Amino acid sequence: MADVLALVEARLRMALGEPDARASVTFLGTDRIEVLRFTDGDVVRYATLGMSATPMTDPTAALADPVRGPRAELVLSVRAGRADTDKVLRALAVLAASPQVEGLVVAPGASLDTGEPLWPGAPFTSVLVAEPGGLVEDLELDEPMDPVHFLPLLPMTPNEAAWKRVHGAAALEERWLARGTDLRDPVRGAVGLD
């Protein structure tokens, strides 16, 4: 079996170009998580590297399978120059470590909450996990391993997160689309939820 993280980094570079910065964070009892930054014009993308090293395990499973199970990395895209978004690195590393630390299986439609602003002054404390396959294609791995999905993260205000809990992820995404919400704007306000 090839080194999963080397293949993941190669896929990120193929899709997003060369990273212009990287940082790593290690939490007690977890593997190292890196966050790579890619700049493309007026958009900055942050991608985790390390979450997919081992499969995510259903917390109700009796034993963790070291080979089979969903694998993912997280990708956040924001407009450059409007906020100090580089401070999001630690928050992304915390979210990427959550499968190891909390036994979460991160999947599309899920909400992930950091409990604090994603970056200084950010109106967002949580993210909605969106469907993979748009920006970075899934990475197929040798059998019997599951493919690595690159999951886009969409920042949510606390009101949007509360509304999503009641109405669901699809309804919130429809509301954003109907209102023409720029989900890459790091200082945007909450979408109208009336």
Side-chain angles (χ1 to χ4, degrees), residues 19-84:
D20 56 11
R22 68 191 307 146
S24 65
V25 179
T26 305
F27 303 100
L28 187 62
T30 67
D31 296 326
R32 181 178 72 180
I33 302 288
E34 290 189 88
V35 180
L36 310 181
R37 183 183 71 190
F38 302 87
T39 304
D40 181 17
D42 71 337
V43 176
V44 179
R45 293 188 170 89
Y46 302 94
T48 62
L49 179 63
M51 184 176 167
S52 62
T54 56
M56 293 180 274
T57 304
D58 183 337
T60 62
L63 290 172
D65 189 324
V67 178
R68 292 182 183 88
R71 294 174 189 257
E73 295 292 352
L74 308 175
V75 181
L76 173 69
S77 300
V78 293
R79 298 223 178 276
R82 303 208 56 208
D84 187 10

Side-chain angles (χ1 to χ4, degrees), residues 10-167:
R11 176 57 54 95
L12 286 168
R13 288 172 184 265
M14 184 177 78
L16 305 176
E18 287 300 310
D20 56 11
R22 68 191 307 146
S24 65
V25 179
T26 305
F27 303 100
L28 187 62
T30 67
D31 296 326
R32 181 178 72 180
I33 302 288
E34 290 189 88
V35 180
L36 310 181
R37 183 183 71 190
F38 302 87
T39 304
D40 181 17
D42 71 337
V43 176
V44 179
R45 293 188 170 89
Y46 302 94
T48 62
L49 179 63
M51 184 176 167
S52 62
T54 56
M56 293 180 274
T57 304
D58 183 337
T60 62
L63 290 172
D65 189 324
V67 178
R68 292 182 183 88
R71 294 174 189 257
E73 295 292 352
L74 308 175
V75 181
L76 173 69
S77 300
V78 293
R79 298 223 178 276
R82 303 208 56 208
D84 187 10
T85 56
D86 280 350
K87 302 288 189 202
V88 77
L89 300 176
R90 182 164 176 73
L92 283 177
V94 167
L95 296 177
S98 61
Q100 289 181 55
V101 174
E102 300 173 34
L104 294 178
V105 175
V106 178
S111 299
L112 302 175
D113 197 313
T114 62
E116 59 187 35
L118 295 178
W119 51 81
F124 318 107
T125 58
S126 62
V127 293
L128 174 64
V129 180
E131 291 291 333
L135 187 60
V136 183
E137 288 183 30
D138 293 347
L139 173 65
E140 297 294 329
L141 299 174
D142 295 338
E143 290 288 339
M145 293 188 287
D146 289 19
V148 176
H149 298 293
F150 297 88
L151 302 171
L153 300 180
L154 308 174
M156 293 188 294
T157 66
N159 286 346
E160 290 170 339
W163 198 85
K164 181 255 175 194
R165 281 192 293 278
V166 174
H167 300 282

